[in-house]
């Protein structure tokens, strides 16, 4: 083999293995070469020849020729996506698109229009003398120092965002402290969001109707602009008007820890026009804090009436805050988009993200879950499901209440409101907001209405039905999966349970409890789990809506088994014999909400909960623990100035480099100084790495490539193997694979004689234990990373998943081996074809043979693996809808395994041992996969698996 050179430093080495060893050394200076190259490439402006450039971003993801095999019935389109031979989607855009005028303004034009702009022609950082001085000022504000210590140093007056205001609110009943409202002009907040330069090319301004086929038989629902509500709103606006759907979110949050009861009630605002993928990213900062609603303590002898007074105050404050948006929704207002075009904008309320289902009933059906509200629910429970309440109906009922009771007589007014299932608010904030329909803008929210509902109810039914100790033990002995939480203490005694914990429990609880519960209960909770996963799809059509409704109907048809078994319990472990669960009843509204407002994932409170940390809790930590609201507002005002100044500097620098470069995408994905330091680490993109490696000059990088792409899967191994040089027979003993040598010989025979390009794990063993091989030594890896694209969006990559195949060591007395889906039929592709043309197997060994000197070895550019297959049942279990798997065995009783190319691996898959009603006490987390005889194919493990395997 001729000598080769390091692609970073140019140093000459004997072979590729030596280069890999050199590049993996931390002190070599070359170990970061690939990441540096990717970062450099991502910051370069696109060239005119990018369409032909194999390194261009638009071409990322196409497989390497040595691994890619064209799959029959599919094609790789120009956008870098795998597509199935079928009719393309059809989109009908609103016939009168919004008009845009040229006399608008941009973020930079505002920056250059202030009184200091003349000074910045000579010094970009004015009023600071230089970048270093500005950096010190910005650091002081973001350092966490108290306001008093930096008050005299940092007093910026340039490039202000929306300014904070305050007002004392008069209440009809006394409070222990004065009621002060802090807020910003919401119209200025909306204008700031709409004009933000980072949202260029991320705004959707035209309603549309999307259909799955040209016959337009099945409508597709994604974001708000693809729903019926946006279309109807646009139809009600003047010709050429721009629809800006307003999103509001409010939820009380604690701002002190361990001691005290300091609570803030923030009101956040955003726009539905911002693409969902951008809006839901916490790093995008698309939600602005617009108000801190007061949380006073009312002086009243009746505890229930204190809650009513708090509701009145919230609506009273919202009425003040929202007045500019109501006016703009009625008359319209001119606003400028990120590139300076002016639009005639209207601002109706599209979504109000509430913290609980009970809050969603605000002034519509009921208030918070109190004994009074629950009594109303018991009396009118069926109406929750069958009687929709419109805005006009509610206001008419309020008029009747006003005619029979004086609002100043709180108790009498509330008693009259109860008769119409109203919560007693005299004037709802939305009553005079044009186009604001409560049945539409109170959108279901997945964090509380889907995941918390599961933990508060479904999980508790399962715990009682299975038994705390048994279910905890089964969670304990489930084999851990790298990157996912393992409940080593079970789930029955969890404290401080978060939304992420809810999701982690959902992953495996159905498969674990399948054989330990009565069939009726399992059918019910499994139906709700299917409902829960289906409604989280980022793309739902009319057929999917039918599946969602069918899943909910199946639950209602079988829920009597839960009551009969006595597993629905309340406080004090008392049995409950009714279904008065508001969260459960609100599930009936999800299908209509998807039809009118798009998928419910876009309304998740995950983004707003994170905004509470950055907009409220972090600023509160910089206060002196007194008068929180005022100091939070001051902190945000200054932080906003710093961020906007930083952003303007970056934009000016971008203009100086290349006026035509599309830099906003890089700015969104790569955190700049203007962004906060607590953002999550970006996902490593192995698709990009593989693409760049494929087009490097031959001989400049080690072979075989350790990162490569096959179809919609990227595979990555470390440059350094776990074992650098070991004999075949030694590996067979270490990994307990007595048929390794004959398996290698059979693989070589199939490669030479078979016309099939994909290898299967089947058939009798042909070679003997003394079979001759063209190699004696192997390099061995103990793990491999698989990265996939999202099931519904091939442009969106998922975090890489590590698959282990490590030999016995420590507590892993039998080794640690993960399961994977492999492709065995070139005519069926993953994930569009599901398990058709694929197998489920356990990864037992990852190797690269080192050919003998002078002996030809045709597979020196690829990795191979030893896997043991599972046999899968033809039909799903009727109660769980999960497949049952058993280990495939040869005629002599040994587990069936074979060698296949690593390029046939497609996706991680989760198997759960079938423990039965009672798990064997000899099981541990380290041996349960090796000693169990049957397994559940658990497609609830993640949403990609669910959509690929549950159809």
């Amino acid at each position: 083999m001729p000598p080769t050179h390091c692609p970073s430093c140019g140093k000459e080495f004997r072979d590729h293995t030596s280069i890999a060893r050199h590049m993996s050394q931390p002190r070599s200076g070359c170990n970061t070469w690939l990441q540096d190259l990717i970062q450099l490439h991502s910051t370069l402006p696109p060239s005119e020849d990018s369409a032909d450039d194999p390194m261009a971003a638009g071409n990322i993801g196409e497989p390497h020729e040595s691994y890619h095999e064209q799959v029959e019935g599919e094609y790789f389109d120009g956008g870098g996506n795998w597509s199935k031979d079928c009719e393309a989607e059809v989109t009908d855009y609103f016939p009168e698109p919004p008009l845009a005028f040229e006399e608008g303004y941009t973020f930079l034009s505002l920056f250059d229009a202030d009184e200091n702009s003349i000074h910045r022609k000579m010094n970009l950082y004015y009023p600071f003398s230089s970048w270093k001085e500005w950096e010190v000022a910005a650091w002081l504000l973001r350092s966490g120092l108290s306001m008093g210590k930096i008050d005299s140093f940092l007093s910026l007056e340039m490039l202000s965002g929306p300014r904070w205001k305050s007002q004392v609110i008069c209440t009809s009943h006394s409070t222990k402290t004065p009621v002060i409202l802090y807020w910003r002009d919401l119209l200025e907040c909306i204008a700031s969001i709409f004009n933000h330069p980072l949202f260029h090319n991320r705004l959707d301004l035209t309603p549309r109707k999307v259909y799955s086929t040209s016959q337009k038989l099945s409508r597709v629902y994604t974001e708000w602009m693809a729903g019926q509500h946006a279309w109807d709103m646009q139809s009600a606006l003047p010709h050429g008007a721009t629809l800006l759907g307003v999103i509001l979110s409010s939820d009380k949050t604690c701002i002190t820890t361990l001691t005290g009861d300091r609570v803030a009630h923030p009101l956040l605002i955003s726009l539905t026009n911002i693409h969902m993928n951008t809006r839901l990213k916490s790093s995008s900062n698309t939600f602005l804090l617009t108000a801190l609603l007061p949380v006073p303590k009312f002086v009243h002898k009746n505890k229930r009436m204190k809650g009513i007074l708090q509701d009145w105050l919230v609506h009273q404050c919202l009425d003040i805050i929202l007045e500019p948006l109501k006016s703009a929704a009625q008359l319209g207002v001119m606003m400028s988009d990120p590139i300076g075009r002016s639009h005639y904008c209207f601002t109706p309320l599209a979504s109000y993200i509430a913290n609980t289902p009970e809050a969603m009933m605000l002034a519509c059906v009921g208030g918070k879950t109190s004994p009074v509200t629950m009594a109303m629910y018991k009396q009118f429970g069926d109406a929750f499901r069958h009687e929709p309440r419109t805005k006009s109906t509610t206001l008419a009922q309020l008029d009747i209440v006003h005619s029979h009771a004086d609002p100043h007589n709180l108790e009498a007014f509330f008693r009259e409101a109860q008769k119409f299932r109203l919560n007693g608010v005299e004037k709802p904030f939305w009553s005079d907001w044009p186009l604001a329909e409560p049945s539409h803008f109170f959108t279901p929210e997945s964090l509380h209405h889907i995941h918390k509902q599961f933990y508060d109810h479904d999980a508790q039914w399962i715990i009682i039905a299975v038994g705390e100790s048994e279910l905890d033990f089964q969670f304990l002995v489930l084999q851990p999966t790298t990157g996912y939480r393992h409940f080593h203490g079970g789930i029955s005694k969890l404290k401080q349970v978060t939304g992420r914990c809810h999701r982690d429990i959902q992953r495996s609880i159905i498969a674990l409890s399948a054989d330990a519960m009565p069939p009726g209960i399992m059918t019910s909770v499994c139906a709700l789990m299917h409902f829960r996963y289906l409604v989280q799809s980022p793309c739902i059509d009319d057929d999917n809506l039918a599946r969602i409704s069918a899943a909910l109907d199946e639950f209602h048809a079988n829920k009597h088994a839960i009551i009969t078994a006595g597993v629905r319990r309340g406080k004090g472990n008392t049995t409950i014999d009714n279904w008065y669960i508001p969260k459960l009843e609100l599930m009936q509204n999800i299908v209509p909400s998807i039809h009118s407002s798009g998928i419910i994932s876009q309304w998740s409170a995950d983004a707003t909960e994170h905004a509470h940390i950055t907009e409220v809790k972090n600023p509160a930590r910089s206060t002196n623990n007194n008068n929180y609201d005022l100091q939070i507002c001051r902190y945000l005002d200054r932080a906003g100035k710093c961020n906007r100044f930083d952003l303007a500097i970056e934009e000016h620098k971008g203009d100086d480099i290349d006026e035509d470069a599309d830099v906003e995408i890089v700015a969104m994905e790569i955190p700049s100084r203007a962004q906060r330091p607590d953002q999550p680490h970006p996902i490593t993109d192995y698709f990009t790495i593989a693409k760049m490696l494929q087009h490097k000059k031959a001989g400049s990088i080690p072979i075989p490539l350790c990162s490569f792409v096959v179809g919609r899967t990227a595979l990555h191994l470390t440059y350094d193997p776990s074992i650098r040089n070991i004999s075949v027979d030694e590996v067979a003993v270490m990994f307990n694979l007595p048929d390794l040598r004959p398996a290698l010989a059979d693989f070589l025979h199939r490669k030479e004689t078979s016309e099939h390009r994909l290898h299967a794990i089947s058939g009798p063993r042909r070679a003997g234990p003394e079979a001759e091989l063209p190699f004696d030594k192997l390099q061995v890896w103990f793990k491999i990373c698989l990265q996939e694209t999202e099931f519904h969006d091939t442009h969106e990559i998922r975090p890489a998943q590590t698959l282990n195949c490590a030999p016995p060591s420590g507590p892993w007395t039998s080794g640690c081996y993960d399961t994977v889906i492999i492709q065995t039929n070139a005519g069926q592709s993953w994930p569009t074809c599901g398990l058709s043309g694929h197998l489920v197997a356990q990864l037992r060994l990852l190797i690269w043979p080192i050919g003998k000197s002078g002996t030809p070895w045709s597979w020196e550019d690829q990795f191979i693996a030893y896997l043991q297959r599972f046999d899968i049942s033809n039909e799903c279990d009727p109660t769980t809808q999960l497949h049952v798997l058993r280990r495939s065995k040869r005629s002599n009783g040994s587990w069936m395994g074979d060698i296949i190319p690593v390029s046939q691996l497609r996706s991680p898959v989760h198997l759960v041992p079938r423990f039965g009603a009672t798990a064997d006490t000899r099981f541990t987390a380290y041996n349960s996969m090796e000693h169990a005889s049957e397994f559940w194919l658990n497609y609830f493990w993640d949403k990609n698996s669910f959509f690929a395997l549950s159809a």
Side-chain angles (χ1 to χ4, degrees):
M1 181 180 294
T4 54
H5 299 79
C6 172
S8 177
C9 65
K11 185 177 179 180
E12 182 176 307
F13 290 90
R14 179 173 58 85
D15 53 26
H16 295 305
T17 302
S18 301
I19 294 179
R21 188 180 301 114
H22 160 72
M23 294 181 66
S24 65
Q25 296 299 319
R27 297 182 180 180
S28 69
C30 302
N31 60 326
T32 61
W33 163 78
L34 187 56
Q35 290 293 341
D36 293 342
L37 185 61
I38 294 172
Q39 184 175 1
L40 175 62
H41 177 67
S42 66
T43 57
L44 292 177
S47 65
E48 296 180 357
D49 300 329
S50 61
D52 300 325
D53 182 8
M55 301 289 286
N59 296 325
I60 291 173
E62 185 176 356
H64 188 272
E65 290 182 358
S66 64
Y67 291 100
H68 167 52
E69 297 178 357
Q70 185 72 16
V71 178
E72 183 179 345
E74 298 198 343
Y75 62 91
F76 202 75
D77 65 25
N81 305 322
W82 281 102
S83 302
K84 191 73 179 173
D85 285 335
C86 62
E87 292 188 87
E89 284 185 348
V90 175
T91 302
D92 288 346
Y93 288 96
F94 194 81
E96 298 177 354
L99 301 178
F101 308 92
E102 297 297 334
E103 63 271 13
Y105 58 86
T106 65
F107 175 83
L108 278 183
S109 67
L110 286 178
F111 179 73
D112 293 332
D114 71 359
E115 59 185 13
N116 296 319
S117 60
I118 189 173
H119 303 290
R120 282 196 290 271
K121 292 182 179 179
M122 299 298 296
N123 174 20
L124 184 60
Y125 302 101
Y126 187 87
F128 302 97
S129 62
S130 64
W131 158 250
K132 291 184 177 180
E133 186 174 319
W134 158 242
E135 191 174 34
V136 171
W139 178 86
L140 280 172
L141 182 67
R142 296 163 177 157
S143 64
L145 296 176
S146 68
M147 289 294 181
K149 293 182 180 179
I150 62 177
D151 233 11
S152 60
F153 186 90
L154 185 58
S155 183
L156 302 176
E157 294 296 337
M158 80 294 288
L159 197 63
S160 296
R163 295 180 179 274
W164 284 91
K165 310 173 186 178
S166 64
Q167 177 180 334
V168 176
I169 305 296
C170 297
T171 59
S172 58
H173 289 71
S174 301
T175 59
K176 293 183 178 181
T177 55
V179 179
I180 303 177
L181 170 66
Y182 295 89
W183 87 100
R184 294 192 278 190
D185 189 304
L186 265 68
L187 207 55
E188 293 181 7
C189 293
I190 288 294
S192 175
I193 296 173
F194 187 54
N195 180 246
H196 201 293
L198 296 185
F199 300 147
H200 175 45
N201 291 335
R202 287 174 169 76
L203 291 173
D204 194 358
L205 302 179
T206 306
R208 62 189 182 275
K209 295 180 180 179
V210 183
Y211 300 91
S212 57
T213 65
S214 58
Q215 287 78 22
K216 300 183 180 180
L217 300 177
S218 179
R219 187 168 173 182
V220 180
Y221 303 94
T222 52
E223 305 200 27
W224 185 74
M225 276 293 183
Q228 187 63 37
H229 195 198
W231 189 279
D232 294 341
M233 281 187 174
Q234 186 72 57
S235 302
L237 300 182
H239 169 71
T242 298
L243 176 64
L244 297 183
V246 175
I247 304 175
L248 295 177
S249 174
S250 65
D251 185 11
K252 292 181 180 179
T253 182
C254 295
I255 55 178
T256 57
T257 56
L258 300 181
T259 59
D261 59 348
R262 302 299 178 90
V263 176
H265 194 172
L267 179 70
L268 304 170
I269 193 168
S270 188
L271 286 176
T272 59
N273 305 77
I274 302 173
H275 293 169
M276 179 180 62
N277 288 342
T278 299
R279 190 172 71 245
L280 294 182
K281 286 183 179 178
S282 58
S283 59
S284 299
N285 301 319
T286 55
F287 282 88
L288 291 183
L289 178 67
T290 62
L292 289 170
L293 303 175
V295 190
K297 294 183 178 180
F298 283 92
V299 178
H300 198 285
K301 61 182 179 180
N302 190 327
K303 184 178 180 181
R304 296 175 183 173
M305 294 302 107
K306 291 181 181 180
I308 302 300
L309 289 171
Q310 181 64 44
D311 290 341
W312 278 45
L313 179 60
V314 168
H315 282 264
Q316 182 182 355
C317 293
L318 289 175
D319 213 34
I320 297 172
I321 297 166
L322 298 170
E323 179 56 36
L325 291 186
K326 296 178 182 180
S327 177
Q330 178 70 41
L331 305 173
V333 64
M334 300 303 292
M335 292 186 186
S336 292
D337 63 18
I339 59 175
R341 298 177 302 181
S342 187
H343 296 255
Y344 184 33
C345 301
F346 288 76
T347 56
L349 180 58
S351 173
Y352 194 108
I353 302 175
N355 61 332
T356 63
E358 294 78 20
M360 287 178 59
M361 302 178 197
L362 200 62
C364 293
V365 180
K368 298 175 181 176
T369 305
S370 64
V372 173
T373 303
M374 187 55 69
M376 294 192 307
Y377 185 87
K378 293 177 181 179
Q379 183 179 357
F380 301 103
D382 289 341
F384 279 76
R385 188 183 309 172
H386 303 297
E387 181 187 331
R389 183 188 294 278
T390 63
K391 178 178 181 179
S392 58
T393 301
T394 303
L395 295 180
Q397 292 171 343
L398 279 173
D399 289 339
I400 297 175
V401 174
H402 276 86
S403 66
H404 287 81
D406 183 359
H408 294 92
N409 186 340
L410 189 62
E411 289 87 346
F413 189 84
F414 180 66
R415 284 195 298 270
E416 289 296 321
Q418 277 188 276
K419 297 178 181 179
F420 296 98
R421 308 190 307 280
L422 300 173
N423 68 350
V425 173
E426 177 191 8
K427 183 178 181 294
F429 73 89
W430 42 261
S431 59
D432 57 347
W433 196 337
L435 302 178
E437 180 62 56
S439 61
H440 290 159
F441 67 70
F442 279 129
T443 49
E445 187 275 307
S446 57
L447 179 61
H448 294 93
H449 308 152
I450 297 297
H451 300 301
K452 194 170 190 304
Q453 184 276 334
F454 157 78
Y455 187 76
D456 290 346
H457 301 287
D458 300 35
Q460 305 310 313
W461 302 336
I462 295 174
I463 289 173
I464 295 172
V466 177
E468 290 185 4
S469 59
E470 177 60 30
L471 189 61
D472 288 344
F473 178 71
Q474 293 188 11
F475 270 98
L476 167 66
V477 300
L478 189 64
Q479 178 171 306
T481 301
T482 302
Y484 293 90
R485 178 172 180 176
H486 182 250
F487 293 94
H488 54 81
I491 64 169
S492 64
K493 299 295 190 296
L494 290 175
K495 304 295 183 183
Q496 299 292 327
V497 182
T498 64
R500 180 179 293 275
C501 184
H502 298 158
R503 296 178 181 92
D504 289 338
I505 296 173
Q506 290 171 29
R507 297 180 192 278
S508 52
I509 193 169
I510 293 294
L512 285 174
S513 58
D515 291 315
M517 282 198 302
I521 300 178
M522 174 51 64
T523 301
S524 300
V525 297
C526 198
L528 280 185
M529 191 68 74
H530 276 92
F531 175 89
R532 195 169 288 113
Y533 274 67
L534 287 169
V535 299
Q536 294 180 73
S537 171
C539 181
I540 296 177
D541 59 20
D542 288 332
D543 295 334
N544 299 137
L545 290 180
R547 290 183 64 193
I548 292 171
S549 298
L552 195 56
D553 291 342
E554 185 178 8
F555 165 76
H556 285 294
N558 293 275
K559 65 183 181 183
H560 60 86
I562 297 174
I563 297 290
T564 303
V567 297
R568 172 154 154 69
R569 307 281 180 87
K571 293 183 178 180
N573 204 31
T574 58
T575 302
I576 301 176
D577 61 354
N578 61 66
W579 289 102
Y580 304 140
I581 304 174
K583 288 187 181 76
L584 182 61
E585 290 296 341
L586 282 168
M587 286 184 173
Q588 306 290 337
N589 298 334
I590 288 181
V591 169
S593 177
I594 293 173
H595 182 269
S596 65
S597 302
I599 61 173
I600 69 168
S601 300
Q602 62 184 317
W603 317 121
S604 175
D606 287 319
T608 57
E609 294 277 357
H610 185 271
H612 289 167
I613 298 174
T614 59
E615 302 293 308
V616 178
K617 294 184 178 182
N618 287 346
R621 295 190 182 102
S622 298
T623 68
N624 60 2
N625 296 321
N626 288 297
N627 200 6
Y628 282 99
D629 288 0
L630 176 61
Q631 295 187 64
I632 289 173
C633 295
R634 183 185 303 166
Y635 179 100
L636 292 176
D637 185 54
R638 292 175 174 173
K641 291 174 182 177
C642 284
N643 289 337
R644 295 172 71 86
F645 188 85
D646 237 345
L647 180 59
I649 297 298
E650 295 293 332
E651 289 287 304
H652 264 300
K653 288 180 178 179
D655 288 343
D656 293 340
I657 296 172
D658 185 351
E659 294 183 356
D660 297 325
D662 188 15
V663 299
E664 63 273 13
I665 293 181
V666 176
M668 287 296 297
E669 301 299 337
I670 302 177
S672 67
R673 288 184 297 271
Q675 294 176 313
R676 294 181 174 86
D678 59 349
Q679 296 166 357
H681 192 276
I683 296 174
T684 302
D685 187 352
Y686 290 117
F687 287 90
T688 302
I689 294 175
K691 183 69 178 182
M692 300 184 73
L693 288 175
Q694 291 166 16
H695 297 282
K696 297 304 293 180
K697 184 179 179 181
S700 63
I701 56 176
I703 299 295
L705 297 180
C706 287
S707 297
F708 51 94
V709 174
V710 186
R712 289 174 58 174
T713 304
L715 301 97
H716 171 79
L717 295 94
T718 59
Y719 277 100
D720 263 349
S722 304
I723 301 177
R724 189 171 301 280
N725 193 309
I726 187 173
S727 71
V728 173
D729 295 332
E730 288 175 321
V731 171
V733 173
M734 178 182 294
F735 286 82
N736 191 25
L737 299 175
D739 66 335
L740 177 59
R741 179 176 286 274
L744 287 166
D746 284 349
F747 169 73
L748 295 176
H749 177 76
R750 290 196 305 270
K751 180 63 181 173
E752 295 174 356
T753 60
S754 176
E755 297 180 357
H756 297 287
R757 293 172 291 178
L758 297 178
H759 297 255
I761 304 176
S762 62
R765 181 71 69 220
R766 296 178 178 274
E770 304 299 329
E772 188 69 21
L773 300 173
F775 48 81
D776 288 328
K777 302 293 184 179
L778 305 173
Q779 290 188 346
V780 182
W781 280 258
F782 290 171
K783 60 184 178 180
I784 183 174
C785 292
L786 267 63
Q787 186 171 46
E788 300 177 84
T789 59
E790 291 289 349
F791 182 85
H792 292 95
D793 184 0
T794 58
H795 295 91
E796 191 77 14
I797 63 171
R798 308 181 71 243
Q801 173 65 45
T802 299
L803 294 180
N804 297 291
C805 53
S809 175
W812 296 93
T813 54
S814 300
C816 178
Y817 310 106
D818 288 328
T819 48
V820 63
I821 289 176
I822 62 171
Q823 184 178 3
T824 56
N825 188 328
Q828 309 288 337
S829 63
W830 176 264
T832 55
C833 297
L835 283 178
S836 179
H838 296 78
L839 289 177
V840 177
Q842 189 175 42
L843 183 62
R844 307 290 294 199
L845 181 66
L846 279 171
I847 56 176
W848 180 60
I850 304 174
K852 296 179 180 178
S853 179
T855 303
W857 168 238
S858 59
W859 277 58
E860 65 177 354
D861 64 337
Q862 296 196 35
F863 299 94
I864 55 178
Y866 184 100
L867 295 99
Q868 293 173 341
R869 64 173 286 178
F870 293 87
D871 290 330
I872 187 168
S873 58
N874 294 327
E875 296 184 1
C876 297
D877 178 77
T879 57
T880 63
Q881 302 302 309
L882 300 177
H883 285 284
V884 177
L885 291 85
R886 298 177 180 83
R887 290 191 180 273
S888 182
K889 296 183 179 180
R890 299 188 182 276
S891 58
N892 61 2
S894 63
W895 293 348
M896 182 175 290
D898 265 319
I899 296 289
I900 67 169
V902 169
S903 56
Q904 287 183 224
L905 305 186
R906 290 294 176 267
S907 173
V909 67
H910 192 248
L911 301 188
V912 173
R914 193 170 183 180
F915 293 120
T918 304
D920 192 324
T921 56
R922 293 171 294 180
F923 280 155
T924 70
Y926 308 107
N927 66 18
S928 59
M929 279 296 295
E930 297 303 304
H931 296 298
S933 58
E934 291 186 346
F935 305 84
W936 294 108
L937 179 59
N938 180 29
Y939 55 65
F940 290 116
W941 185 250
D942 61 31
K943 287 190 275 291
N944 254 32
S945 298
F946 177 82
F947 294 122
L949 298 174
S950 66

